[in-house]
Amino acid sequence: MDKAKPTGTPDGTVPDATGDSHGTAAEPGGSATAPDASTSPGADTATPPRPVGLTKADPAAEPRETAAPTVPGQAEEAAVPPATEPPATVPAPRAGGAPDAVVPAQQQAPAERPRPLHAPDPYSTPPYGEPGPWAPAPPVQRPVPTPAHGTYLPPGTPAHGTPVPPVPEAGPAQGGEWGRYDPWAAPGALVAESGGGPGERRRERRAGRGRLVGAALVLALVAGAVGGYVGMRLERHGGLGTVELEQTSGQAGERAPDSVAGIAARTLPGVVTLHVSGGDGGALGTGFVLDGRGHILTNHHVVESAEGDGSIRVTFNGGETARARLVGGDPGYDLAVVKVSGVSGLTPLPLGDSDDVRVGDPVVAIGAPFDLANTVTSGIISAKERPITAGGEKGDGTDISYVDALQTDAPINPGNSGGPLVDERARVIGINSAIHAAGGPARQDDSAGSVGLGFAIPVNQAKRVAEELINHGRATHPVIGVTLDMGYEGEGAKVGGEAAGGGPAVTPGGPADRTDIAAGDVITEVDGVPVASGEELIIKIRSHRPGDRLALTVERDGESRRVTLELGSSDPS
């Protein structure tokens, strides 16, 4: 019987102690004999066969090892004999070790080495002159699932479609590169495991430098974008995020008493706005509180429409309103007093001395120009004793005001009438009464605005008139007892020929009659101040109180003389 075949050897091949395969044809038509089983120790051991060259079967001969094929799978193709090659036969060994039969080569070891793919080179040019060395086929590996397209691959794995560098030739199968070869692994895995060659390391360094350069470019782009955005924000908004502007503190608190703000703070609580309605229409003006009993001083032309059945509404600085009644007024002085009742907490304004005012002194005007209540303007005293006349709408001269006014450049507009003109100590020195219009001096109820020429009644005159209006309901006028020729065009004020109604021009027994002033005389000076017209003489006289003494310069027939007289009083009623 035949002996059992060792596990792991090719069919029909029984290795001997040296690992050579016996029974292989030594030469064409020859046969080889297998040694006795008793002389072949380890015959049952499974040892893979190693191919040998085409030589005679000589147990003593040293087998010649071959190199691994350069292309995997080439050995497998060469191991298959051509279909036309007749099957080789070898004698089958007996139980005792001697051959006694011939069996087909498919059941025994191959009779001879398979023919190479290429015919021998007749010129014996290596490697085609002789059959080249052969290496066993690489071990079969278990397939590893290939990642799908787009699936993350481990670092170092080339992307889909990236050329894979050639794998270096593997050495003999001595546990070297073939032991770690995986045909199912991703391209480049073998190089990654084996560490790659110098070329691969150079490529990796270049790839690393490329990644660093790319990262630097991206960082530069990001930095440029951020820098541009920051620059834009700084240019347009002054910074990033919400804009917060710097603001200084410490400005709150009291102002200097002589500043405009300090003056206004002390004056405004005593200033009121007047809205008047009556049969002759309505009017708007300003006033200020005289005392704690509710008396308020204003201009006569502001409240004259309330005489009879008219009404007066007073609005205080805090917004409170109250009804007022007319106490009395005088159109010749353009002053009037109204009174509110049932109102407490009033703030009377202190009165100053208009005789002490000097040109250039700072002043503040407060009123309601064009119904803009509590408006504060400032300026200086531009001139003193400026003679002005206002009114005269009635035509009989009874509504003409004669004022020896304080001139100021503080803006005064319609609605300021009756308001206070105060000095740097917040004391009232005048009552704003008129402005200069394009056609000449006019009251503030004209539609014209301020041109920097405003006029105020001196407070000394206003104080006397207000006291008389409060105490008697009417005011007295100082007089010298003459009738003036208002048509005289020469310098000075000329005494007329007769009074109205045919009476004498010089009142018998009056101040002028007692100083021997007669009709036709021309008065050229009052207290040494020249007068240019009859209006100026009236203004100068009315700036005084009845009983005051005046020095007059009088011309008669080309001769001048100086006389002194005491002013008399007249009742306007």
Side-chain angles (χ1 to χ4, degrees):
M1 296 179 59
D2 294 341
K3 292 181 65 175
K5 293 182 291 183
T7 305
T9 60
D11 292 342
T13 303
V14 181
D16 62 2
T18 63
D20 293 336
S21 299
H22 296 276
T24 304
E27 57 184 27
S31 63
T33 60
D36 193 344
S38 61
T39 62
S40 302
D44 295 334
T45 302
T47 302
R50 291 185 294 177
V52 296
L54 298 178
T55 58
K56 293 182 179 181
D58 185 1
E62 183 69 18
R64 186 174 56 181
E65 296 189 5
T66 60
T70 58
V71 180
Q74 182 176 347
E76 297 177 9
E77 295 178 4
V80 181
T84 59
E85 184 72 20
T89 59
V90 296
R94 294 182 182 178
D100 57 357
V102 177
V103 296
Q106 291 82 351
Q107 298 179 7
Q108 302 295 330
E112 58 182 358
R113 182 179 180 85
R115 292 172 55 190
L117 295 177
H118 303 280
D121 184 5
Y123 301 101
S124 300
T125 303
Y128 300 107
E130 292 294 334
W134 301 95
V140 177
Q141 301 292 330
R142 185 181 300 275
V144 179
T146 303
H149 180 69
T151 306
Y152 172 78
L153 299 177
T157 303
H160 180 72
T162 304
V164 180
V167 180
E169 293 183 0
Q174 297 293 335
E177 300 298 338
W178 288 112
R180 292 191 298 273
Y181 174 75
D182 183 4
W184 300 98
L190 179 60
V191 177
E193 289 187 12
S194 61
E200 181 63 24
R201 287 193 294 271
R202 286 194 296 271
R203 283 190 292 271
E204 289 180 356
R205 286 196 296 270
R206 286 196 295 269
R209 287 194 296 268
R211 287 191 292 271
L212 289 177
V213 171
L217 291 176
V218 172
L219 181 61
L221 291 175
V222 173
V226 172
Y229 175 77
V230 172
M232 180 270 292
R233 293 288 300 183
L234 291 176
E235 179 182 357
R236 295 185 179 180
H237 307 288
L240 301 176
T242 304
V243 176
E244 294 184 4
L245 303 178
E246 294 184 2
Q247 185 176 14
T248 59
S249 59
Q251 297 293 328
E254 297 294 333
R255 299 293 187 270
D258 58 348
S259 66
V260 175
I263 296 170
R266 287 181 287 171
T267 306
L268 280 170
V271 180
V272 300
T273 302
L274 303 175
H275 292 87
V276 182
S277 61
D280 294 338
L284 167 70
T286 307
F288 62 93
V289 179
L290 289 173
D291 55 29
R293 292 183 293 177
H295 291 107
I296 296 172
L297 182 63
T298 186
N299 283 139
H300 179 267
H301 73 263
V302 173
V303 297
E304 64 181 343
S305 61
E307 294 176 349
D309 298 333
S311 64
I312 303 172
R313 180 167 57 90
V314 177
T315 303
F316 293 90
N317 179 63
E320 302 87 353
T321 60
R323 292 290 177 178
R325 65 177 181 87
L326 179 62
V327 175
D330 190 301
Y333 291 112
D334 195 19
L335 292 171
V337 174
V338 300
K339 183 179 181 180
V340 294
S341 301
V343 179
S344 60
L346 298 176
T347 305
L349 297 185
L351 305 180
D353 186 354
S354 55
D355 290 341
D356 290 339
V357 175
R358 298 291 181 267
V359 175
D361 285 348
V363 291
V364 174
I366 301 178
F370 302 103
D371 205 12
L372 299 174
N374 306 320
T375 296
V376 178
T377 57
S378 64
I380 62 171
I381 295 296
S382 304
K384 291 180 61 177
E385 299 177 356
R386 185 74 74 187
I388 65 169
T389 59
E393 286 84 359
K394 291 183 178 181
D396 57 1
T398 58
D399 62 336
I400 297 177
S401 300
Y402 298 93
V403 181
D404 196 19
L406 298 173
Q407 179 180 322
T408 179
D409 65 348
I412 295 174
N413 293 284
N416 276 104
S417 293
L421 183 70
V422 300
D423 62 10
E424 58 184 355
R425 297 183 181 180
R427 300 175 305 184
V428 179
I429 59 173
I431 292 84
N432 300 318
S433 181
I435 60 174
H436 181 80
R443 288 178 179 169
Q444 290 181 248
D445 53 1
D446 280 1
S447 59
S450 173
V451 293
L453 294 174
F455 304 96
I457 301 171
V459 72
N460 289 3
Q461 179 180 347
K463 178 180 179 294
R464 178 186 68 83
V465 174
E467 290 173 345
E468 291 182 352
L469 292 175
I470 293 172
N471 294 324
H472 307 290
R474 62 182 184 272
T476 60
H477 297 173
V479 295
I480 61 174
V482 297
T483 301
L484 298 176
D485 182 4
M486 303 303 293
Y488 177 69
E489 297 181 355
E491 290 293 327
K494 183 179 181 179
V495 179
E498 60 181 16
V506 178
T507 303
D513 187 37
R514 290 193 297 266
T515 58
D516 193 23
I517 295 178
D521 290 348
V522 177
I523 303 173
T524 59
E525 294 181 357
V526 175
D527 290 336
V529 178
V531 292
S533 63
E535 288 85 356
E536 287 192 17
L537 178 62
I538 295 173
I539 292 170
K540 294 298 182 181
I541 293 173
R542 288 193 178 180
S543 64
H544 294 79
R545 292 174 179 267
D548 291 345
R549 298 185 64 84
L550 294 179
L552 305 178
T553 301
V554 181
E555 288 186 359
R556 182 185 297 173
D557 298 332
E559 295 183 0
S560 295
R561 62 188 179 94
R562 189 180 182 88
V563 300
T564 300
L565 55 77
E566 182 179 341
L567 295 176
S569 175
S570 70
D571 189 345
S573 60

